[in-house]
Amino acid sequence: MSDNILEMRQISKEFTGVKALTDVNFKVERGEIHCLVGENGAGKSTLMKVLSGVYPHGTYSGDIVFEGQVQNFAKISDSVKAGIAIIYQELALFPDLTVYENIYVGNEVKRSGVVDWNQTIVQAQQMLQKVKLNVNPESLIKDLGVGKQQLVEIAKALSKNVKLLILDEPTAALNENDSENLLQLLRELKHQGITCIMISHKLKEVIAIADKATVLRDGRTICTLDAAKGEISENVIIKNMVGREIDDIYPKRLDQTFGHTVLEVQDWSAYDPQLGRHVAKEVNFHVKKGEIVGLAGLMGSGRTELALSIFGNPKGYKLQGELLMNDAPVSFSHTSDAIKAGIAYVTEDRKGDGLFLIQDIKNNVSIANLHSISSRGVINDNEEVKIANHYKSSLTVKAPSIEQIVGNLSGGNQQKVSLGKWLFVGPKLLILDEPTRGIDVGAKFEIYTIMNKLIREGMSIIMISSELGEVLGMSDRIYVMAEGRIKGELSQAEADQEKIMQLATQ
Ligand SMILES: Nc1ncnc2c1ncn2[C@@H]1O[C@H](COP(=O)(O)OP(=O)(O)OP(=O)(O)O)[C@@H](O)[C@H]1O
Ligand SMILES: [Mg+2]
């Protein structure tokens, strides 16, 4: 007999103008790892927010049965009390607080009403051991890498005696090593009886870890696949996700000829006074017109820092070395100088610096290039609407209209808006930092196709990516970074997964 810890029955959820979920049925057996998959905007995050009380009882229809009882969570703390913990797509830690404060914030160990910090730290240490995170509980969150922050989030969930742990794209921001560690931890938690729901776009991961996988499409349950019955495979998942078969993950590239050198970076070093060390050191590389240059490396190898130091140096590093664009020396004292020179940077952190979440799609797309649709300081609204609609459809942003607030879009669709914003600037050199993080297989193909089209039109692209498949599948040339230095350059023909990893771990 099956023992379901959770049954969501006939769940429907509507936002103004969007039917996010329609009669979704979702059953999770006690002690299993159940993956939830589907295209961007399919409704995965919404379903989990319904479950955890982010959307309170009364704002959706249908029933949540948890531990055999119908639950009417009015707020998040109700679901926490019941033993449900959710770790969001974008982490929700306080960067300026310590590890232990983050674990116990709002849940401090008290003795006769007074917070017992010593005891709190001791307990935090125990939680950190459970997730095998070897850091001082008194270190600040902002000083930890994303992988470690993720583990702190899980430690926080464990401190609340979680029975059902929900992870929304937990490995999206992790490198392969950290991802593997996390998956291993989930397996161990499973053996301790913790049930887990994991949302992921990384199908290899799903195949590696899932006992079951439920596919959502357009807000409906399509099917639940069972690993024990051999039903979980990449093809089957993709077919159910998109409703058709996809043969290739990377689009075919026509023969591409490269032009002159667009960007040349010579003996470039960037010193971070706050960290007290170099984030980039004696870096040399170049990019030609029409070329896609991949920048590979592990998390923390300095790829983003290098890109930012070139892109007007917003973090205020101390710089040394030369930048040449089209063979002429340039120097940018501000990001806007770099933009004027034809560089655009699509950030990996769309929430932090990429998008204005409280604004709509239209404003976000036009914001970086307002002058091109304005005359005498007045924005031409018709033009703005036209442009926004153009990018919405060419990038297949899933939203009812360009008036949709960006903060309400699904993660992957936010990423597409971010790309649209920078394409509208019409750059000559596009820096893409983790361009397909959190993006589903179908939409990835679209983004790769767009990249190929852009280079055919003469643009150059630097692509920072932690996904080796993507680096290999898309780059004409690859530089591998480690500890702020370029450790090697590989042509498309000579590059393979092993060579990249070798250089990245030097
Ligand atoms: N607060 C909101 N207001 C309006 N629409 C919303 C809101 N939250 C989600 N939606 C819409 O509901 C649908 C489902 O979104 P959801 O975030 O659940 O997708 P998802 O499957 O998690 O996608 P992704 O893989 O991109 O994260 C989308 O069309 C989204 O635009
Ligand atoms: Mg989501």
Side-chain angles (χ1 to χ4, degrees):
M1 207 193 82
S2 73
D3 171 18
N4 290 331
I5 187 168
L6 172 73
E7 278 190 38
M8 298 183 79
R9 296 180 185 150
Q10 301 291 111
I11 304 284
S12 294
K13 167 80 191 162
E14 205 165 324
F15 300 103
T16 358
V18 186
K19 191 114 204 254
L21 300 171
T22 310
D23 296 333
V24 169
N25 290 307
F26 181 50
K27 286 184 195 167
V28 178
E29 223 175 288
R30 188 180 306 279
E32 72 182 1
I33 297 179
H34 198 127
C35 289
L36 196 53
V37 295
E39 290 186 290
N40 296 131
K44 306 176 297 290
S45 295
T46 304
L47 187 67
M48 291 303 102
K49 286 179 184 167
V50 165
L51 172 58
S52 59
V54 173
Y55 301 132
H57 180 247
T59 64
Y60 60 89
S61 65
D63 282 326
I64 300 172
V65 182
F66 184 68
E67 293 282 23
Q69 291 191 346
V70 175
Q71 307 281 350
N72 300 329
F73 301 136
K75 48 187 181 322
I76 303 173
S77 55
D78 292 348
S79 71
V80 173
K81 258 182 233 142
I84 298 174
I86 178 164
I87 296 175
Y88 293 100
Q89 210 158 351
E90 324 282 339
L91 296 179
L93 297 169
F94 298 100
D96 292 313
L97 293 186
T98 62
V99 168
Y100 76 87
E101 283 167 321
N102 267 284
I103 294 179
Y104 283 101
V105 71
N107 196 20
E108 297 89 355
V109 184
K110 288 189 183 156
R111 207 166 35 195
S112 35
V114 182
V115 179
D116 182 344
W117 287 118
N118 287 334
Q119 196 51 33
T120 303
I121 294 176
V122 170
Q123 292 197 7
Q125 197 113 44
Q126 289 165 359
M127 292 305 148
L128 293 173
Q129 263 164 20
K130 281 197 187 178
V131 298
K132 300 205 170 52
L133 179 56
N134 192 10
V135 297
N136 185 338
E138 294 181 66
S139 18
L140 297 181
I141 286 293
K142 66 177 175 199
D143 295 336
L144 304 183
V146 209
K148 291 185 173 153
Q149 293 188 10
Q150 190 75 258
L151 294 176
V152 173
E153 284 262 25
I154 297 178
K156 181 175 172 177
L158 294 181
S159 78
K160 295 176 184 166
N161 291 322
V162 61
K163 292 182 198 157
L164 175 63
L165 180 65
I166 304 164
L167 301 122
D168 196 346
E169 296 191 43
T171 63
L174 302 189
N175 63 38
E176 314 223 339
N177 248 334
D178 285 348
S179 301
E180 187 40 54
N181 285 342
L182 181 71
L183 297 188
Q184 193 49 39
L185 175 64
L186 295 185
R187 289 188 190 104
E188 282 166 30
L189 293 177
K190 169 177 151 174
H191 290 303
Q192 294 165 27
I194 295 176
T195 311
C196 179
I197 299 174
M198 180 172 97
I199 299 178
S200 180
H201 287 294
K202 299 187 180 169
L203 300 186
K204 289 203 172 60
E205 229 168 67
V206 172
I207 291 160
I209 201 168
D211 297 307
K212 297 221 188 71
T214 291
V215 183
L216 291 185
R217 191 199 316 153
D218 296 330
R220 293 169 192 272
T221 325
I222 301 299
C223 60
T224 294
L225 307 166
D226 189 341
K229 295 182 189 154
E231 294 170 342
I232 301 185
S233 74
E234 195 157 319
N235 280 343
V236 176
I237 297 176
I238 292 178
K239 203 161 97 189
N240 283 292
M241 271 173 68
V242 300
R244 64 192 153 85
E245 298 203 40
I246 292 188
D247 305 327
D248 290 314
I249 302 181
Y250 302 100
K252 298 240 169 354
R253 181 99 67 85
L254 299 173
D255 265 346
Q256 175 81 4
T257 43
F258 308 126
H260 64 279
T261 300
V262 173
L263 175 77
E264 171 123 34
V265 178
Q266 294 177 340
D267 295 326
W268 187 257
S269 296
Y271 179 84
D272 184 338
Q274 274 186 334
L275 291 180
R277 62 174 169 84
H278 279 92
V279 287
K281 186 91 177 150
E282 290 151 15
V283 168
N284 288 285
F285 77 95
H286 70 276
V287 187
K288 292 196 164 139
K289 186 176 158 86
E291 195 178 28
I292 298 181
V293 169
L295 208 49
L298 301 176
M299 207 69 64
S301 58
R303 297 163 303 165
T304 295
E305 290 80 0
L306 171 63
L308 284 174
S309 70
I310 293 167
F311 186 61
N313 195 25
K315 299 267 155 101
Y317 302 136
K318 291 201 179 109
L319 304 177
Q320 259 184 331
E322 291 261 25
L323 286 185
L324 304 166
M325 282 192 82
N326 307 315
D327 292 330
V330 285
S331 93
F332 308 132
S333 48
H334 196 267
T335 298
S336 57
D337 298 339
I339 297 173
K340 262 184 230 134
I343 306 181
Y345 179 86
V346 182
T347 141
E348 61 176 330
D349 177 10
R350 53 189 176 245
K351 296 241 154 154
D353 357 77
L355 294 169
F356 296 96
L357 296 179
I358 53 167
Q359 304 247 15
D360 63 14
I361 297 178
K362 177 170 68 90
N363 291 333
N364 269 285
V365 168
S366 61
I367 192 86
N369 193 16
L370 280 177
H371 70 93
S372 76
I373 50 165
S374 311
S375 72
R376 295 198 194 99
V378 182
I379 300 170
N380 180 336
D381 290 337
N382 288 339
E383 200 55 28
E384 192 180 30
V385 166
K386 219 170 88 188
I387 296 293
N389 272 319
H390 165 73
Y391 286 109
K392 177 173 178 286
S393 71
S394 68
L395 299 174
T396 60
V397 177
K398 204 169 163 225
S401 79
I402 53 168
E403 264 87 43
Q404 179 68 269
I405 302 296
V406 165
N408 291 342
L409 296 178
S410 77
N413 283 298
Q414 289 182 6
Q415 181 71 356
K416 294 188 201 171
V417 173
S418 178
L419 184 58
K421 160 180 158 179
W422 288 108
L423 290 181
F424 177 45
V425 177
K428 297 186 188 74
L429 173 66
L430 182 64
I431 306 175
L432 299 174
D433 201 342
E434 305 288 357
T436 65
R437 176 190 284 180
I439 287 190
D440 69 61
V441 275
K444 270 186 184 171
F445 190 85
E446 288 163 20
I447 291 203
Y448 298 144
T449 307
I450 292 163
M451 287 169 66
N452 285 344
K453 179 166 159 277
L454 293 173
I455 52 165
R456 270 204 306 284
E457 292 165 4
M459 205 184 274
S460 307
I461 296 178
I462 298 175
M463 180 182 70
I464 299 174
S465 172
S466 302
E467 267 190 57
L468 288 181
E470 172 169 291
V471 171
L472 291 167
M474 291 302 294
S475 314
D476 297 303
R477 251 174 343 114
I478 299 165
Y479 292 102
V480 186
M481 278 188 85
E483 294 177 336
R485 293 172 186 270
I486 288 189
K487 298 284 184 178
E489 176 186 346
L490 300 165
S491 68
Q492 188 178 39
E494 64 187 337
D496 62 30
Q497 198 137 335
E498 260 185 2
K499 285 192 188 121
I500 294 180
M501 282 317 283
Q502 253 164 23
L503 291 168
T505 51
Q506 259 184 25

